């Protein structure tokens, strides 16, 4: 069997404390993710999801274990060898730069030549449906449109991995529902491997090829579930609803057992 595209190999993460034993935040996570998958990660607040994303993004190192993306082991020192796109909960756009210039910003930082950068900016803004808004400034756009600019920016570097950190949680449900549909279309069009962090079980079930539910701190794998409902999906699909109910019951039982 081929090596998974993303390998999270028995990682542990501890933070030192001056007068107490180290705080263990992650305790032996093991995951292998195939290329082109959309893996959602769920867990209670404070369980270590943000720490895990920082490690995958090369912003922090593991205490033990390893993370490998497309054959490259991830660390703070090796981070420059990988391209990790990130879409945050808020769009984090620079209000004094146009939409086009916001998308171009990471390309300039990577030293992409101007002609190629222009091509990518045009392509990815069109892909997210904002090709006519390149000369707008972010504050003229709705929250949903700003998130689509953020997605275009994350994709424009043509990343080895795209991390989506609760990108729709600040939006109203109608807007979020529309963007979930669009996100699936864009993910399938690009073929990128995506790690999607969310607190929303319905969102995770609807979007994902696979769900990883992790325990309260220290984070361990509680549930690793393939979502085998074919795309395109509709929110009203009874198969998705049955999976959502099952995961919700299991998640509540996990939280109650940890109290």
């Amino acid at each position: 069997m081929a090596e998974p595209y993303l390998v999270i190999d028995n990682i542990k993460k501890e933070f030192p404390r001056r007068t107490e034993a180290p705080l263990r935040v992650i305790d032996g996570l093991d995951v292998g993710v195939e290329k082109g998958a959309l893996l959602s990660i769920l867990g209670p607040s404070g369980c270590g999801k943000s720490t895990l994303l920082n490690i995958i993004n090369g912003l922090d190192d593991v205490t033990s274990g390893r993370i490998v993306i497309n054959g490259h082991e991830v660390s703070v020192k090796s981070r420059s060898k990988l391209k990790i796109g990130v879409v945050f909960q808020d769009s984090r756009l620079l209000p004094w730069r146009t939409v086009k210039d916001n998308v171009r910003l990471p390309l300039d930082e990577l030293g992409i030549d101007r002609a190629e950068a222009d091509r990518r900016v045009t392509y990815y803004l069109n892909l997210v449906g904002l090709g006519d808004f390149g000369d707008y400034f972010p504050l003229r756009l709705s929250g949903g449109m700003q998130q689509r600019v953020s997605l275009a920016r994350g994709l424009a570097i043509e990343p080895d991995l795209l991390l989506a950190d609760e990108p729709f949680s600040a939006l109203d449900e109608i807007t979020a529902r529309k963007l979930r549909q669009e996100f699936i279309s864009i993910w399938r069009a690009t073929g990128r491997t995506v790690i999607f962090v969310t607190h929303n079980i319905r969102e995770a079930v609807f979007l994902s090829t696979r769900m990883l539910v992790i325990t309260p701190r220290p984070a361990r794998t509680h549930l690793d579930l393939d979502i085998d409902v074919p795309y395109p999906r509709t929110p009203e699909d009874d198969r998705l609803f049955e999976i959502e109910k099952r995961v919700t019951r299991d998640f509540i039982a996990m939280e109650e057992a940890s109290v």
Side-chain angles (χ1 to χ4, degrees):
M1 183 178 293
E3 181 80 2
Y5 185 78
L6 167 65
V7 178
I8 299 175
D9 181 15
N10 193 30
I11 68 165
K12 298 181 181 181
K13 179 62 180 177
E14 295 179 344
F15 292 99
R17 293 187 288 187
R18 181 172 297 179
T19 59
E20 302 178 70
L23 176 66
R24 179 163 290 186
V25 177
I26 300 173
D27 190 19
L29 277 181
D30 262 309
V31 186
V33 182
E34 65 273 19
K35 185 176 177 61
L38 199 166
L39 173 74
S40 61
I41 299 178
L42 295 96
S45 295
C47 70
K49 296 188 296 297
S50 294
T51 299
L52 176 60
L53 285 190
N54 285 340
I55 293 171
I56 294 173
N57 198 13
L59 299 176
D60 201 356
D61 285 325
V62 296
T63 301
S64 64
R66 63 184 187 135
I67 291 180
V68 180
I69 299 173
N70 196 22
H72 298 279
E73 188 163 344
V74 179
S75 69
V76 172
K77 288 184 178 180
S78 71
R79 184 172 185 263
S80 61
K81 297 178 182 179
L82 293 161
K83 292 181 292 183
I84 309 293
V86 185
V87 186
F88 297 98
Q89 181 175 348
D90 56 273
S91 62
R92 301 195 183 186
L93 302 177
L94 301 179
W96 58 88
R97 296 179 69 118
T98 65
V99 164
K100 286 191 295 190
D101 287 341
N102 268 281
V103 175
R104 184 181 287 110
L105 181 61
L107 303 178
D108 292 341
E109 292 174 351
L110 289 170
I112 305 297
D113 72 76
R114 188 72 178 188
E116 173 62 12
D118 287 345
R119 183 196 69 78
R120 292 194 196 181
V121 168
T122 298
Y123 176 78
Y124 287 103
L125 282 177
N126 283 329
L127 188 64
V128 301
L130 294 176
D132 294 332
F133 293 86
D135 293 323
Y136 281 54
F137 288 92
L139 294 180
R140 293 185 63 191
L141 305 180
S142 68
M145 294 170 77
Q146 290 182 35
Q147 281 300 83
R148 282 193 271 163
V149 176
S150 178
L151 177 57
R153 181 181 58 193
L155 290 169
I157 66 170
E158 300 190 339
D160 299 294
L161 183 70
L162 181 69
L163 304 178
D165 188 5
E166 299 189 65
F168 309 140
S169 61
L171 303 174
D172 66 88
E173 179 56 28
I174 298 299
T175 302
R177 178 167 168 161
K178 183 173 185 291
L179 285 181
R180 289 177 199 129
Q181 293 274 22
E182 293 177 356
F183 188 87
I184 288 176
S185 297
I186 293 164
W187 159 66
R188 296 182 75 196
T190 61
R192 299 294 167 191
T193 307
V194 177
I195 305 297
F196 192 102
V197 170
T198 178
H199 283 97
N200 187 322
I201 294 173
R202 176 170 296 178
E203 178 173 74
V205 170
F206 178 70
L207 290 173
S208 311
T209 59
R210 182 174 167 194
M211 289 176 61
L212 184 71
V213 179
I214 56 180
T215 65
R217 191 179 69 231
R220 303 180 182 93
T221 299
H222 176 73
L223 179 67
D224 188 343
L225 178 67
D226 288 325
I227 311 297
D228 56 1
V229 178
Y231 299 92
R233 296 173 177 173
T234 62
E236 297 79 19
D237 192 316
D238 287 340
R239 294 169 296 180
L240 296 174
F241 184 55
E242 289 302 316
I243 296 170
E244 180 191 340
K245 287 196 299 182
R246 189 165 76 245
V247 173
T248 300
R249 286 195 299 266
D250 191 88
F251 193 94
I252 291 171
M254 176 189 73
E255 288 201 300
E256 289 177 344
S258 69
V259 175

